[in-house]
Amino acid sequence: MKKIFFVLFIACTFSLSSQSVAFEYLDVFDLEYISDPQISPDGSKIAYVRNFKDIMTDRNLSNIWLMNSDGSDNRPLTSGNQNDNSPVWSPDGTKLIYRSNKDGNNQLYLYIPATNVGIKLTHVQQSPSNVAWSPSGKTLAFTMFVPGASPSFITLPSKPKGAEWSTPPTYIDKLKYRSDGSGYIRPGYTHIFTLPSDGGTPWQVTSGSFHFGAPKWGKDEKTIFFSSNMHDDRELDPRNSEVYRLDLTSGDIKALTDRHGPDSSPNLSPDGSKIAYTGYDEKYQGYQVSQLYVMNSDGTGHRSVSTTLDRDINDVFWLADNQSLLIQYDDEGNTRLARLQLNGQITQLADQLGGLSLGRPYSGASFSATVNGQYVYTLGSAEHPADLATGKDGRNKRLTYVNDDIFAYKKPGKVEELWWESSFDGKKIHGWICYPPNFDASKKYPMILEIHGGPFANYGSRYAAEIQLFASAGYVVFYTNPRGSTSYGEEFGNLIHHNYPSEDYDDMMSGVDAVIEMGFVDENNLFITGGSGGGVLTAWTISKTDRFKAAVVAKPVINWYSFVLYADNPATFYKYWFPGLPWEHQDHYMARSPIAHVGSVNTPTMLLTGEEDHRTPMAESEQYFAALKLKGVDAALVRVQGAGHGIANKPSNLIAKVAYILGWFEKYKSASRE
């Protein structure tokens, strides 16, 4: 066993010089990206969010910018080290509402472009979100959390004045009592409010022990549509939401859908006659394609209009003819924008939407449009994070280049697409290779297999800082979409239904073999890592093969039995990923648990998990670390302080994550053969 010492990124032996053209750790702080572009109703202006990082406070920040739709007069609407986001144009395009925390907590602000005047619109204690203008522009609707009382069935005596007692116990009686990213859930519910658009006092228009979704106004301004799960068994069946109509005059709420399954994101047609919404019939499959449905605004005439697509519909927008919509969906690792007619006909308009996930090459994008079909969207690729693009009828134009100041002299690793056949059943599997800068095909390079989480998610040809940092350190980086990945249809996604992890291992190993056959990989220097579901597959893989010199298992599930009962969604995982409750199917749970196969592991393994992770809690990593140590495998445990499941959400944590991974691999890397 090697005893090579390694340290953090500041002094890593593989650090590049300050004059290097390769992407380096501190360059992470210089990356920017665009999100949430909003085109004005007449198509003349675009408001968008420009995201950046502050190296002094280690924060992700954002401001709102404005430009003409031809790209001219690009200027900031807001500025400063704060978070400004969620711009929404008024129906006549003369005003803009946005959120900002510049005064400490999120409030709504009103901006009038013609006069360059902005005012603070709310002074509330909670954070407003999901703002919607009424058709006349006179009223706003939004959601906001309303705190409730902490439950208790006892009364404790008051402590004497000046006494120092322990903090009283916390009483919990709900199945879901904590959530990753926010910790222990505060008592209370998210409700819908209305507010005059020129200011005033918000009026709460919903009540009850329910969480209400984003509001959508009816044409008459007397109704609001939203989605919610108001069923009595919502705690045990949290996905069973419906679309509802709220009568603002009487306060009556009527369900417009009633099937078993999630119905959400209602969107009213321009003439007010129809509602588009997304959902599916509940089958308790691991992966279920979210289709687009249309119904009459009174709740009659439900029908799917996207059955021929076999892809998840992520966002929709009605066009003026009331017979077609713009839709966003993922297809084979590529996010697309298309026009969908109610008869099912689809016309492609744009691809390469994305670039919102800076760390790893996940999907994620946003667009907005006018009713006459002019649209703006986030444009991302393997060469750059999200920029702003616009188009109509498929004639598209890129408007911004927010990272040209970096990429003018920093050379990214080239990303190349690859398809191969799985050794298990011959199915076509998709992946990508990222080459080191200044790649020379005559040389042999160490290779990292990087595995996505989910498992129902997808990677693609998208910019990823972590992948680029690996490549800049001299590694070929190989990432894949094995069976179970989204964007390839419902059948492909469900090849791991009640069967995860399984033959996704064969898919990845066949891909590794395909890359090795290309001739530039040193097969004696293979490494493996992945996070969340990718951590599961990393731990699974090293129990089946010793071909990897070292592994980093990030935020994994190691023991499905403990995970199902300890993670933040106990009502969800057992019924979708397994045939039933863990004590009723112990053999099935343990057969899929990496902890049950740790006896076969010989690969040096580091675990890396957020201290405040409630999705794949630290106890999962602790179990595996202890088991590896007891077996005599060289192992380490990295506990990322202040981090949840989004382990690299802070810029410094992204850097530290990559540095620890590369440091561990360098410790076991042998001299390369050329």
Side-chain angles (χ1 to χ4, degrees):
M1 184 181 299
K2 294 186 177 181
K3 299 294 184 182
I4 302 174
F5 179 73
F6 71 101
V7 294
L8 285 179
F9 60 89
I10 296 176
C12 281
T13 58
F14 48 79
S15 284
L16 304 168
S17 73
S18 60
Q19 302 302 313
S20 173
V21 297
F23 191 64
E24 299 178 283
Y25 291 124
L26 291 181
D27 294 330
V28 167
F29 282 98
D30 294 326
L31 289 175
E32 298 184 64
Y33 69 95
I34 284 171
S35 64
D36 200 10
Q38 296 294 320
I39 191 167
S40 61
D42 65 359
S44 64
K45 295 186 181 297
I46 302 168
Y48 64 92
V49 179
R50 186 162 175 168
N51 301 269
F52 60 99
K53 304 175 188 303
D54 180 30
I55 196 170
M56 300 306 294
T57 60
D58 196 22
R59 294 168 62 202
N60 296 300
L61 303 170
S62 59
N63 294 146
I64 295 175
W65 286 55
L66 285 173
M67 68 161 61
N68 295 328
S69 59
D70 61 3
S72 63
D73 193 26
N74 187 27
R75 56 190 173 86
L77 184 156
T78 65
S79 62
N81 284 0
Q82 59 207 40
N83 286 107
D84 309 314
N85 52 57
S86 306
V88 187
W89 289 100
S90 62
D92 62 5
T94 63
K95 300 174 183 177
L96 191 73
I97 292 287
Y98 66 92
R99 294 198 320 162
S100 176
N101 66 356
K102 67 179 181 180
D103 288 340
N105 62 331
N106 279 310
Q107 300 291 339
L108 298 183
Y109 290 77
L110 175 67
Y111 176 74
I112 304 175
T115 59
N116 199 30
V117 171
I119 61 170
K120 188 175 182 179
L121 206 59
T122 61
H123 300 80
V124 291
Q125 295 183 3
Q126 305 299 322
S127 178
S129 59
N130 299 312
V131 177
W133 290 83
S134 67
S136 68
K138 295 180 179 179
T139 311
L140 304 172
F142 58 88
T143 59
M144 188 166 63
F145 182 75
V146 178
S150 297
S152 181
F153 62 92
I154 65 169
T155 301
L156 291 172
S158 300
K159 65 180 181 181
K161 183 178 180 180
E164 295 183 5
W165 288 12
S166 296
T167 302
T170 299
Y171 176 73
I172 296 171
D173 62 359
K174 293 187 180 299
L175 179 60
K176 184 176 175 66
Y177 59 90
R178 56 183 176 176
S179 179
D180 187 72
S182 56
Y184 284 79
I185 297 173
R186 295 180 298 162
Y189 295 91
T190 299
H191 286 281
I192 296 175
F193 290 75
T194 60
L195 174 73
S197 60
D198 56 0
T201 301
W203 173 41
Q204 183 178 331
V205 297
T206 59
S207 60
S209 302
F210 315 105
H211 292 289
F212 293 84
K216 300 289 184 179
W217 285 92
K219 291 287 288 184
D220 59 3
E221 303 202 14
K222 297 178 181 179
T223 55
I224 286 178
F225 301 94
F226 62 91
S227 62
S228 178
N229 186 342
M230 303 176 73
H231 297 287
D232 292 339
D233 64 347
R234 58 189 174 275
E235 188 173 38
L236 292 173
D237 199 8
R239 294 187 181 182
N240 189 24
S241 60
E242 310 293 352
V243 174
Y244 295 89
R245 181 180 64 219
L246 165 67
D247 185 317
L248 290 174
T249 302
S250 66
D252 292 339
I253 292 176
K254 178 185 177 182
L256 302 182
T257 60
D258 60 2
R259 64 158 170 201
H260 188 213
D263 293 321
S264 60
S265 305
N267 200 312
L268 196 69
S269 62
D271 66 1
S273 66
K274 303 179 185 69
I275 297 174
Y277 62 100
T278 58
Y280 54 79
D281 293 311
E282 183 63 86
K283 301 175 185 177
Y284 293 113
Q285 293 177 165
Y287 174 53
Q288 298 172 88
V289 169
S290 182
Q291 297 182 22
L292 178 63
Y293 292 81
V294 170
M295 63 179 166
N296 298 324
S297 58
D298 63 0
T300 62
H302 303 259
R303 63 189 176 102
S304 173
V305 296
S306 65
T307 53
T308 60
L309 185 57
D310 195 25
R311 298 291 187 270
D312 289 299
I313 306 298
N314 297 319
D315 198 5
V316 302
F317 182 86
W318 281 99
L319 297 178
D321 62 1
N322 300 291
Q323 296 297 313
S324 55
L325 306 96
L326 298 186
I327 62 171
Q328 177 185 311
Y329 65 95
D330 293 347
D331 179 42
E332 296 184 346
N334 186 359
T335 304
R336 302 182 184 276
L337 180 68
R339 181 188 299 113
L340 172 65
Q341 295 177 251
L342 296 188
N343 63 10
Q345 182 178 340
I346 298 174
T347 304
Q348 299 295 330
L349 299 175
D351 60 9
Q352 289 193 318
L353 277 72
L356 305 186
S357 177
L358 284 186
R360 294 191 282 165
Y362 281 117
S363 62
S366 59
F367 81 94
S368 69
T370 66
V371 292
N372 70 356
Q374 187 177 349
Y375 49 81
V376 292
Y377 60 95
T378 53
L379 173 67
S381 74
E383 286 73 42
H384 64 86
D387 268 296
L388 182 64
T390 186
K392 186 175 183 181
D393 297 326
R395 299 184 299 273
N396 306 320
K397 177 184 177 183
R398 182 176 173 181
L399 297 178
T400 64
Y401 298 79
V402 296
N403 288 296
D404 266 14
D405 55 335
I406 303 173
F407 298 138
Y409 64 96
K410 291 289 183 179
K411 186 176 181 180
K414 177 185 175 183
V415 175
E416 182 177 274
E417 183 182 41
L418 182 69
W419 288 85
W420 64 93
E421 291 184 358
S422 173
S423 62
F424 176 71
D425 55 9
K427 287 193 180 296
K428 292 287 187 180
I429 308 298
H430 198 189
W432 292 263
I433 305 169
C434 183
Y435 297 95
N438 302 315
F439 172 76
D440 183 347
S442 67
K443 296 182 178 179
K444 295 284 188 178
Y445 292 85
M447 188 179 82
I448 297 173
L449 171 62
E450 209 284 340
I451 310 171
H452 75 63
F456 304 108
N458 70 82
Y459 274 168
S461 184
R462 308 175 181 113
Y463 186 86
E466 293 181 30
I467 300 295
Q468 290 294 334
L469 287 169
F470 292 151
S472 291
Y475 290 80
V476 168
V477 187
F478 178 47
Y479 59 94
T480 78
N481 282 340
R483 66 190 63 209
S485 300
T486 58
S487 78
Y488 301 88
E490 188 165 0
E491 179 186 0
F492 187 84
N494 280 298
L495 291 174
I496 62 169
H497 178 58
H498 293 177
N499 187 36
Y500 169 70
S502 59
E503 292 82 28
D504 32 11
Y505 162 82
D506 302 279
D507 298 345
M508 296 186 301
M509 294 307 100
S510 300
V512 170
D513 292 338
V515 178
I516 290 174
E517 288 177 6
M518 298 172 75
F520 49 77
V521 168
D522 179 1
E523 57 186 303
N524 293 315
N525 274 315
L526 303 179
F527 301 89
I528 183 171
T529 187
S532 193
V536 175
L537 278 173
T538 300
W540 183 262
T541 297
I542 59 176
S543 73
K544 298 175 75 69
T545 180
D546 293 335
R547 72 188 304 183
F548 296 97
K549 295 290 290 291
V552 175
V553 176
K555 50 186 181 182
V557 177
I558 294 301
N559 184 335
W560 287 114
Y561 198 119
S562 60
F563 166 78
V564 162
L565 301 176
Y566 191 47
D568 61 349
N569 288 306
T572 299
F573 296 116
Y574 83 91
K575 67 175 66 173
Y576 292 97
W577 293 7
F578 292 92
L581 293 162
W583 53 88
E584 296 174 351
H585 301 274
Q586 293 186 44
D587 291 344
H588 186 101
Y589 274 73
M590 293 313 296
R592 302 295 172 196
S593 294
I595 195 69
H597 305 280
V598 70
S600 301
V601 175
N602 299 302
T603 306
T605 301
M606 172 184 284
L607 291 119
L608 196 153
T609 301
E611 196 72 69
E612 298 174 10
D613 192 332
H614 293 304
R615 181 62 43 79
T616 54
M618 180 64 75
E620 294 293 312
S621 293
E622 290 171 332
Q623 290 179 65
Y624 202 56
F625 173 68
L628 291 170
K629 283 292 190 181
L630 289 172
K631 187 180 180 294
V633 176
D634 194 5
L637 174 63
V638 179
R639 310 175 73 109
V640 183
Q641 302 304 304
H645 196 63
I647 200 170
N649 283 350
K650 286 190 175 183
S652 67
N653 279 346
L654 188 155
I655 292 169
K657 175 187 175 185
V658 173
Y660 270 108
I661 292 172
L662 287 175
W664 188 252
F665 291 168
E666 288 290 308
K667 182 178 179 182
Y668 295 96
K669 188 174 73 174
S670 58
S672 179
R673 298 184 293 106
E674 296 188 7

